[in-house]
Each structure stands twice: as C-alpha cells, then as structure tokens.
Amino acid sequence: MLSALILIPLVGALVLILWPGKLESQTAKVISSVSLLVTLGLLGFLATQFELTTPGFQFEELLPWVEPLGLSYRLGLDGLSLPLLVVNSLLGLVAIYITDPQLHRVRLYYVLLLVINSAVAGAFLAANLLLFFIFYELELIPLYLLIAIWGGARRGYAATKFLIYTALSGVLILGAFLGLVWLSGNSSFDYDSALATALPLAQQITLLVALLIGFGIKVPLFPFHTWLPDAHVEASTPVSVLLAGVLLKLGTYGVVRFGLGLLPDAWMALAPWMATWAVISVLYGSLAAIAQTDMKKMVAYSSIGHMGYVLLAAAASTPVSIVATVFQMISHGLISGLLFLLVGVVYKTTGTRDLTVLRGLLNPERGLPFVGSMMILGVMASAGIPGMVGFISEFLVFRGSFLIFPVQTLLCMVGSGLTAVYFLLLVNRAFFGRLAIAPPTNAPQLDIALPPVTWRDRAPALGLALLIIAFGLQPNWLARWSEHTTLALHAPYQGFVLGESRFTPAAPATLPAAVADTRLAAPALVDPSAKVYLP
C-alpha cells in the first residue's frame, strides 16, 4: 500500500516518457494531475485506516534488499510523516496546475515534477536510514534540472550552487548514518529509537553535529542558507512553491526524525546551543527580509526565519513544542506556497517584482485586487494573526519552548514581530497608493490596465487560503494525527524537560485537563496514548 505512494507518480512519469509522438502541454498536465490525485485519494484511504493512538509505524512494508549492507526496503507511516505526505501531493498538484501552458520541453518538465514527488514521498516513508538517504538524494538532480532549464537569467549559477550545497548535505548525513550504525555494532540500518543508546556521549554528539549541519543546509539555517535566495529568485513559480512548501521540510523532518528521535543524550547536551542557533536564524532571516526590494527574495528570507522556529521547538523537546514542529512545517508549507504563488502572478502580470517600481496594485478597477487581497491574507497568516494556522503554529512553538528556553523564545518572538514589519513594507509599497509601474523618480505609468487574473491562478490561491483559515480555526483537525507520535518522541526527554523547566510545575491534580500537558504534569506524559490538547 505504501509503495503505491512512491510508484504511482513514477508510473505517471513513465506514461509521459512513452507517450507516442508530440506530447501536448495539456495532455501532460492531465496525466500528471491524475497521478497526484490518485496518491491523494490513497492517502485519504490510509487516513481512514490510520490508528490515531498508535505512536509507531503503521502499514509497514519490509522487503530484504542488500542484506550485507544492512539496506532493506522498509516503509512505515506515522503521525509525523502523514501530514507531510499530504502537503507533498497537494503542493505538487498546485505546481502542476499553475504551470505555464506555453512551457517548452513539456515532457521532461512534468517527468521531473513527478520524480520529485515520488522521491519526497519515499523519504517521508522510509524506515531504513540508507533508504531514506537514497530518496533524499534522488530529488537532487530533478530539482537541479528544473532550476537550470526553466529558471531565470542566472539559473546556471543558482542551480549549481544548490547542487553543491545539497550534495555536501548528503555527504554529512550519510557519514552520520554510517557512524551511527557501525559504532553501535548493528548490522542493519533499519530505524530503531534505541540505535544509539549504548554509544558514549562524545560519539553521539559528533554524530548529531554532522546530522544538524547536514539537515541544517537543507532547512536552511544560518549560515548555510545562501543557496536558498538565489534558487528561489531564479526558479520558476511552480518550482518555488515546491521548494519552499515541500523540499525544505526534508531538512526539518530529518532533524526531528533522526536527531531528536535517535540521539536523545546528545540532543539534551546540545539543546541550549540549538535554541541559540534557532534565534540567530530567525533574527537573521527577518532582518535580511526587511532589507530586500525583490518580493521573491523577501519571501525566501522569510522562510529562513520561519524554519528556525522548528529548531527552537525541537530543542525544547516538550510535548507541546514537538507537536509544534509538525504544525510549523505544515503551516509554513501552506503559507509559503501561497505567497510564492502570488508573487509569481504579480511578476507574470507586471513583468517585475521590484518594490521600488510597483505601486497601487490593489486598485479595484485596473489593478490586481484579488492578488492583493490574497497577499494581505497570506502575510497576516505568516505574521501570526489569530484565526490562521500561522498563529497556531507560532503560539505552540512559543508556549512549548518558553518553559525550557525563555530568553531564546522571547528573542524568537521578536523575530515574529519583524515578520509583520517586512511584510507590511511589501504590502504597503506594492499594493497601496496610486497604481503605477515605474520608479518614483521617473514619470509613472498611470494609465496602465493590468490583465485580469485567470482561474488557473485564482483557484489554487483560494484553496490554500481556505486551508490556512480552516487549520487556524480548527487546529485539532491537524494535531490529532500527530499527537501520539510526538508524545512518543518526547518520552526520552521527560526528565530533561522537568529538570530544565524554569518554572515549578503545578500539582497534577490541580490542573485542568486542557492544559495539563503544557504545565508538564508528569503523569500525563508517561502514557503515549495521552492526548495533547491545544489551547
């Protein structure tokens, strides 16, 4: 069953490759869309069979592969991977839907999109370390080609930079996986939470540092972030949606799954340093975003800041903060997908993304009122306005992390405030005022009339906006799938959390059930089946 989530996009890609004669853009789009719709339908079916109270892998598949190397084809689905798989297929559909019908080299383009979807699904499902690494590397070349062939003027530079950084990331991750298994004396690379328990702390720390740097490049975290703004600026809009919404999550997923999940002793030793690293990434990304005049580069730097919240929440290791890592990944995927989609519409319609040139796009008659309205909604969600999923994810991050790292959490809250600053600058400069597309020092083009936005761009924007609002108003629709898996991830850290808490936990008997987990009531944390109630 799980293999089908990997194979269906590959079958779609094979159909495109073998399609006789010239392949029309619309035909390729239909075949690709059907492939991902089938995977979404299969995920929906698996969700109906998913046991919410089971924290471990479900629907497991195991096939011996290269046994002397410890490599097996082992797949598993749990509450950490299920939401990310849905976002992968959903944003893949969005990328296919918004692709320009006049695109050249249609066959290759859609094949690469489907291969990326398959590789990412494989990485989220892999329950063997080497198998994860294979899928992690498999998406590298397709994404490189998507940027290098269909990107902007400096696409070669941006694609090569991405390739070098991500290749280095893979080397570090593979080295850590090899060291983890060989030093522990195991012969199998199958995922096991007890894999490193017998290793000395020094070895665990060395392995964790390699994992953190390797996945930190992919996230990306400061100072390994420099490939991301270039890649986003040169990539086409559909590729930017996939890159920000899905591919960056391979990094944060790896940090939580393999760092937090496999190396608890080293994680507790390095947690204060990771929280500080998160602060640096959040503040740097926010301040760099303020300095940008390119709308796309501003959203790209915003991603660097918002991914830092995941590291802060994971470092705190409380029940609420680990739930928050999943929320922040899904929240950022939806919001960044919407923002990059809208920036792409602005660029396609006006020919520029320069905030010193654009003015008054919210004009209701001759401008882009729909894009402006959706952009305001998107930036409000990113800034953490209540009623949207961005507020829930950031609130959970701060609520869960403050008990352990109050100073770092407060500094990250400053970064959240800076989000409102740079996105207000974007909205104010580009969408308010009198409609014009010209630098203020030149004679403005005041008589322009921009073409209306088609439903090819409206429909996915509306869909993402509805999801952002729905999960903001009903966060338990998302939390229920992950809470037991995240509680199991928290189990090795109960003593650490209680020992590091800056506040004395209240007596369990006096706590309301809805906040028992956030006050670190020990009895509620011991049982993995205990629910995490969201405020």
Side-chain angles (χ1 to χ4, degrees):
M1 186 74 73
L2 298 184
S3 294
L5 297 173
I6 302 171
L7 294 176
I8 290 171
L10 293 180
V11 171
L14 184 61
V15 171
L16 293 176
I17 292 171
L18 299 179
W19 192 268
K22 182 180 179 181
L23 182 63
E24 298 295 332
S25 177
Q26 188 60 31
T27 303
K29 181 171 289 191
V30 169
I31 294 172
S32 303
S33 299
V34 169
S35 299
L36 296 193
L37 282 171
V38 172
T39 63
L40 269 178
L42 180 56
L43 282 168
F45 172 75
L46 289 173
T48 64
Q49 308 299 312
F50 190 79
E51 292 291 339
L52 296 178
T53 58
T54 300
F57 290 121
Q58 302 180 42
F59 314 110
E60 283 195 75
E61 297 179 11
L62 177 60
L63 179 66
W65 193 359
V66 188
E67 294 187 23
L69 295 180
L71 173 59
S72 64
Y73 181 79
R74 184 186 175 202
L75 304 179
L77 182 69
D78 66 359
L80 182 58
S81 55
L82 178 59
L84 293 170
L85 285 166
V86 175
V87 171
N88 177 40
S89 293
L90 178 65
L91 292 184
L93 270 174
V94 170
I96 290 169
Y97 187 77
I98 65 176
T99 296
D100 187 354
Q102 307 303 319
L103 186 80
H104 68 287
R105 305 180 71 173
V106 169
R107 193 187 306 263
L108 177 61
Y109 175 85
Y110 285 103
V111 166
L112 294 176
L113 284 184
L114 290 174
V115 170
I116 286 179
N117 182 272
S118 175
V120 172
F124 289 147
L125 289 170
N128 179 280
L129 305 188
L130 284 185
L131 187 64
F132 170 86
F133 174 76
I134 291 172
F135 284 120
Y136 182 85
E137 291 291 287
L138 185 59
E139 52 83 26
L140 175 59
I141 297 302
L143 186 59
Y144 166 81
L145 292 174
L146 285 170
I147 298 174
I149 298 175
W150 292 277
R154 299 175 69 245
R155 57 186 179 272
Y157 167 79
T160 302
K161 193 173 183 179
F162 160 78
L163 184 66
I164 293 172
Y165 271 77
T166 311
L168 177 60
S169 166
V171 169
L172 290 169
I173 292 168
L174 178 60
F177 285 169
L178 293 175
L180 182 61
V181 173
W182 292 346
L183 291 173
S184 61
N186 285 276
S187 59
S188 172
F189 283 85
D190 284 351
Y191 185 89
D192 182 359
S193 59
L195 195 60
T197 52
L199 292 181
L201 181 60
Q203 291 182 0
Q204 289 194 39
I205 289 176
T206 302
L207 296 172
L208 180 58
V209 168
L211 284 177
L212 287 173
I213 296 175
F215 287 121
I217 293 172
K218 191 73 171 181
V219 170
L221 299 168
F222 176 88
F224 311 113
H225 67 282
T226 58
W227 65 269
L228 182 67
D230 291 319
H232 269 308
V233 168
E234 301 306 324
S236 63
T237 298
V239 176
S240 284
V241 169
L242 278 182
L243 179 58
V246 177
L247 296 175
L248 300 188
K249 308 308 176 290
L250 286 173
T252 48
Y253 173 84
V255 168
V256 175
R257 173 74 76 192
F258 302 107
L260 182 72
L262 293 180
L263 297 160
D265 295 336
W267 191 271
M268 288 183 277
L270 296 182
W273 300 99
M274 287 187 283
T276 303
W277 189 10
V279 170
I280 294 172
S281 289
V282 168
L283 294 180
Y284 173 85
S286 300
L287 293 172
I290 292 175
Q292 304 308 312
T293 58
D294 184 312
M295 296 173 70
K296 204 171 188 183
K297 189 170 281 191
M298 181 180 286
V299 179
Y301 276 107
S302 170
S303 292
I304 297 170
H306 282 81
M307 287 292 90
Y309 295 141
V310 178
L311 183 61
L312 173 68
S317 309
T318 66
V320 174
S321 72
I322 301 178
V323 170
T325 62
V326 180
F327 248 95
Q328 183 62 19
M329 285 190 274
I330 304 304
S331 167
H332 180 265
L334 298 175
I335 295 171
S336 64
L338 175 62
L339 292 177
F340 277 112
L341 168 63
L342 296 173
V343 170
V345 175
V346 170
Y347 182 70
K348 180 175 67 175
T349 308
T350 65
T352 182
R353 301 185 299 259
D354 193 340
L355 293 174
T356 65
V357 169
L358 295 169
R359 280 181 284 163
L361 296 180
L362 202 57
N363 185 294
E365 296 180 358
R366 295 179 289 116
L368 302 172
F370 174 82
V371 174
S373 302
M374 289 292 101
M375 181 66 77
I376 292 173
L377 183 147
V379 301
M380 289 171 62
S382 186
I385 299 299
M388 301 184 190
V389 69
F391 168 77
I392 299 295
S393 61
E394 291 184 14
F395 180 83
L396 290 175
V397 169
F398 301 147
R399 179 72 175 271
S401 303
F402 185 77
L403 294 168
I404 311 301
F405 302 118
V407 174
Q408 291 93 328
T409 302
L410 289 172
L411 290 173
C412 283
M413 292 173 70
V414 172
S416 181
L418 293 175
T419 301
V421 173
Y422 58 74
F423 275 143
L424 281 175
L425 289 174
L426 183 152
V427 170
N428 185 56
R429 291 175 182 176
F431 290 93
F432 289 100
R434 189 172 183 179
L435 179 63
I437 304 178
T441 56
N442 297 348
Q445 304 172 24
L446 298 178
D447 296 327
I448 61 172
L450 298 175
V453 178
T454 65
W455 275 103
R456 183 164 60 84
D457 296 316
R458 286 174 181 256
L462 281 172
L464 291 174
L466 288 175
L467 289 174
I468 289 169
I469 295 173
F471 288 135
L473 296 177
Q474 289 290 342
N476 276 310
W477 288 353
L478 176 57
R480 63 195 295 264
W481 302 101
S482 304
E483 57 188 6
H484 297 288
T485 298
T486 54
L487 277 172
L489 284 171
H490 163 74
Y493 299 93
Q494 292 185 41
F496 168 75
V497 168
L498 291 170
E500 293 294 320
S501 176
R502 301 301 193 269
F503 305 93
T504 302
T510 65
L511 292 178
V515 297
D517 60 287
T518 64
R519 302 287 184 82
L520 307 175
L525 305 183
V526 174
D527 182 7
S529 67
K531 293 180 68 65
V532 175
Y533 295 92
L534 299 182

